[in-house]
Each structure stands twice: as C-alpha cells, then as structure tokens.
Amino acid sequence: MTINVYDNFQWKIPKAIYVYNANANAWSETTSVSIWASGAWQKIHNTYLFTSNTVNANIYTTMGSPTIPVNAKITIDANVWMTSSNSNVAAIDISGFPLGSRVYLVNNGVIQGTQGNAGWPGGNAISTTTSLLINNNGTISGGQANTIVSAGVGYYLSGSTLTTFENSGLLIGLVN
C-alpha cells in the first residue's frame, strides 16, 4: 500500500511527507510512516540518507526488505560517492521492491559505475526494476569503457517505469 494525496483533481504519490509539531510551531519531514495491517505494523513510507561513501548499495535491503508496496525517499549527501566494486553490479541497485512501490532518489553527490577493464564493459550507475523518480543535483555516470568494450549507462531500467527525471546536475552515459 502506498500513500497517495489528492491534489488538483488527481491522486499523486508524494515525494516527502511532513508532520506539524505544534510545540515547536514547525513542519518537519517524517522519516517513516507505518500502518497496522495483518496483525503487525508495516512501513509504507521510509526515508534514508547516505552521508558516507558506499559501494554496491542495495536500496531494497537498506529499506528493510519491505513485503508490501512502499514509497521510499533516498537522499545522497553532497560529496558522497556511490560506486560499485565491479562492472556486473550497479553502484545503486533499486530492485526487489513489491509491485506498486516507488522510489524517489535525490542525488546531491556522485553515483558512478565502475570502470571497465580486461575485456569487461564499464558498469551501470543505477539499475532498477522499481518505479523511480530521480532528482539529480550531482553527477550520475556510467563506468568508463576500456579500449575493447563499451561504457556503462547512467542508469539501466529493467521492467521499470522511470516516472520523472529532474536534472540540474551532470548525467554521463546513455539510458538503457
């Protein structure tokens, strides 16, 4: 179950959810929203902030391997590098989420696939099978090619719908 908001005569999935703290007289973004379903609390909205360099990030695992559709917001801080250890693995893998899930990725850092070598192509920056909204304020780059084979793509969509791509940063590599 995902959260939807009725806005201007249509249902929309929010990028972020805020709660009002009357004591502080301020709004703040919530890190998670849970519902009681099937006899247990289940998260339907979750956020995560990467503040340090990470290799082979698996967002599904990072978000606790949800079993029901969720909205997830992932933010990569400025000066943080998301990379991969080899060209067979994307720097960020956004696969495994239940059907109906949606991930909102805010990149303020660098997402880069590994460089190709010894006959291997460069790696992908992002691989997903989940509906994805990307807000790129940093750099998304497929891994560089070696002299024999091709470079990796900036992001690779496998059975996914790229809902929106907002780019004020740098995108290097093709979309596959």
Side-chain angles (χ1 to χ4, degrees), residues 28 88 147:
S28 60
N88 293 325
T147 58

Side-chain angles (χ1 to χ4, degrees), residues 115-121 146-149:
Q115 180 175 342
N117 61 29
W120 290 95
N146 64 16
T147 58
I148 301 170
V149 292

Side-chain angles (χ1 to χ4, degrees), residues 132-174:
L132 180 63
L133 168 62
I134 299 173
N135 182 340
N136 182 38
N137 305 307
T139 301
I140 298 176
S141 173
Q144 293 179 336
N146 64 16
T147 58
I148 301 170
V149 292
S150 62
V153 297
Y155 50 93
Y156 179 76
L157 309 174
S158 174
S160 171
T161 303
L162 180 66
T163 307
T164 305
F165 187 82
E166 302 165 345
N167 188 37
S168 61
L170 181 61
L171 179 63
I172 302 169
L174 303 173

Side-chain angles (χ1 to χ4, degrees), residues 60-129:
Y60 175 70
T61 304
T62 299
M63 301 310 276
S65 304
T67 58
I68 62 172
V70 296
N71 292 342
K73 180 180 179 186
I74 306 299
T75 304
I76 300 165
D77 260 354
N79 300 316
V80 171
W81 284 70
M82 307 296 285
T83 59
S84 62
S85 60
N86 69 66
S87 60
N88 293 325
V89 179
I92 296 180
D93 182 9
I94 308 175
S95 302
F97 284 90
L99 187 62
S101 295
R102 182 169 175 198
V103 174
Y104 177 47
L105 177 63
V106 179
N107 177 38
N108 300 311
V110 176
I111 305 170
Q112 183 173 351
T114 194
Q115 180 175 342
N117 61 29
W120 290 95
N124 298 331
I126 300 170
S127 179
T128 184
T129 58

